[in-house]
Amino acid sequence: MQNNSLGKQIIRLRQRQQLSQSQLAERLFVSRQAISKWENRDAEPDLDKLVQLSQIFNVDLDYLVLNQPMRQTPILALTKISKSYRQPILKDVTFSLYNHERVTLLGSNGAGKTTLVNLIAGRIKPDAGGIERHYQPKLECSLMPQKNVLIDPMRVQEMMELEISIAKLNTIDIERLLKSANLWEQRRQVVDSLSGGQQRKLMFLLTMIKSAKLFIFDEPTVGMDLETIDHFWQRLDQISGTTLVITHDFNQIDHYFDRVLLLKGGVIAADEQVATIHAHNQDLDTWYRGHNQVQEG
């Protein structure tokens, strides 16, 4: 029996991610004609391909196949979080993250975004409030911090091997990973000899080694060249877990993220679905600037 909604779902989700039929076919290792048949309901993908589609589109199988609402399973809940140093940084931060969500965290410089992600990652503790995690912080959360955490005297390949050992992984193809980031020729160089952009690429690879439930990226593309930035967003688009990203690349926010959080005045001043913003004929840049003006008025 043909599933009348599946073809439309594939078209809708493919267009949302700005993927052509050929690009989707390449990811699935099928022909473009196969994608066309699925979308026209002349054929249906097998179970393995359905699973792959759900991962590429970052949605539940029930949502993909039956168009049922996404299951809102929380993986993280923050309640009335506060943190001060010489002065209050976070005052009353409350929000949750859910499975498969793609969330961007916006805010001006000094708003406390990096402090917040360090709290979520368990690198620092809040002064007050609660953090409920539905994952193992050390094994199932991976953070790419704004400042690289690398061991300067180590060689590039040694750094990769160390991270693989810490994560207790056995089947990682280091050569393939380094070649994907154009770092294979630098594998024997010490980390300190790499350019700033190369160090950023290495930090990204180390972050992505884990099969984590929650990935956090703090201004990940700073120092990257344009080609590497494109590769970063393409790679991030393949993550099936939850992602929380600090970025002001509004072009990418518009088509990559599901939800946007605005941190202002020590609290989450806005929490909005990207689709809702678009439904009001706004892009994220316009929404962000306009919302800040409203908040400051």
Side-chain angles (χ1 to χ4, degrees), residues 25-287:
E26 184 178 352
R27 290 198 187 183
L28 292 167
F29 300 100
V30 299
S31 67
R32 188 194 64 77
Q33 288 75 15
I35 304 296
S36 182
K37 287 182 178 180
W38 297 345
E39 293 182 349
N40 292 328
R41 291 169 287 173
D42 295 328
E44 291 188 350
D46 61 27
L47 180 58
D48 288 342
K49 294 305 180 187
L50 285 173
V51 171
Q52 285 183 269
L53 282 167
S54 71
Q55 292 172 345
I56 291 171
F57 295 140
N58 203 31
V59 297
D60 293 328
L61 271 174
D62 286 347
Y63 179 82
L64 173 65
V65 177
L66 303 175
N67 199 17
Q68 292 182 354
M70 290 278 283
R71 293 189 298 272
Q72 291 287 287
T73 304
I75 67 166
L76 174 76
L78 278 69
T79 306
K80 296 185 178 298
I81 293 294
S82 65
K83 184 67 179 179
S84 299
Y85 291 106
R86 292 184 178 179
Q87 59 184 11
I89 303 297
L90 305 175
K91 299 175 183 177
D92 185 11
V93 173
T94 299
F95 69 90
S96 296
L97 296 179
Y98 300 90
N99 63 322
H100 303 306
E101 272 197 311
R102 295 174 173 181
V103 181
T104 184
L105 176 64
L106 300 179
S108 59
N109 291 337
K113 302 185 298 297
T114 295
T115 299
L116 180 55
V117 297
N118 283 333
L119 283 164
I120 293 172
R123 300 178 76 181
I124 58 177
K125 294 183 178 180
D127 297 332
I131 301 178
E132 183 179 350
R133 299 179 177 92
H134 297 276
Y135 57 86
Q136 301 178 64
K138 292 184 178 180
L139 298 177
E140 297 177 317
C141 177
S142 193
L143 167 66
M144 182 179 180
Q146 189 173 12
K147 294 183 178 180
N148 296 325
V149 181
L150 300 169
I151 304 174
D152 290 342
M154 292 191 73
R155 300 182 188 277
V156 170
Q157 186 161 338
E158 291 173 341
M159 220 31 259
M160 294 286 289
E161 291 169 346
L162 175 62
E163 188 65 25
I164 289 169
S165 175
I166 291 172
K168 299 180 180 180
L169 301 171
N170 300 316
T171 58
I172 299 297
D173 187 340
I174 293 178
E175 180 177 350
R176 180 184 63 80
L177 287 175
L178 289 176
K179 284 182 176 179
S180 72
N182 294 321
L183 287 174
W184 178 245
E185 293 183 0
Q186 290 78 30
R187 64 189 181 279
R188 295 189 178 91
Q189 288 183 220
V190 295
V191 170
D192 194 39
S193 71
L194 298 177
S195 68
Q198 289 172 333
Q199 289 188 9
R200 203 64 182 146
K201 287 194 286 187
L202 177 58
M203 193 69 229
F204 175 61
L205 286 182
L206 295 172
T207 304
M208 294 295 290
I209 282 177
K210 287 183 182 178
S211 179
K213 289 185 178 180
L214 174 62
F215 287 92
I216 305 173
F217 300 90
D218 188 350
E219 298 288 1
T221 58
V222 172
M224 291 183 180
D225 57 44
L226 291 178
E227 182 179 353
T228 306
I229 290 173
D230 287 342
H231 174 76
F232 167 81
W233 288 110
Q234 291 169 6
R235 182 68 184 86
L236 221 62
D237 204 26
Q238 300 169 16
I239 294 177
S240 61
T242 301
T243 54
L244 177 65
V245 184
I246 297 175
T247 182
H248 285 86
D249 189 341
F250 289 101
N251 290 328
Q252 296 296 344
I253 294 173
D254 264 315
H255 81 260
Y256 175 80
F257 292 94
D258 304 313
R259 181 177 163 208
V260 56
L261 301 173
L262 175 61
L263 182 63
K264 184 178 176 66
V267 302
I268 299 298
D271 182 348
E272 192 65 85
Q273 294 292 318
V274 172
T276 302
I277 295 171
H278 289 167
H280 289 86
N281 296 317
Q282 286 186 307
D283 58 25
L284 263 295
D285 190 6
T286 303
W287 176 88

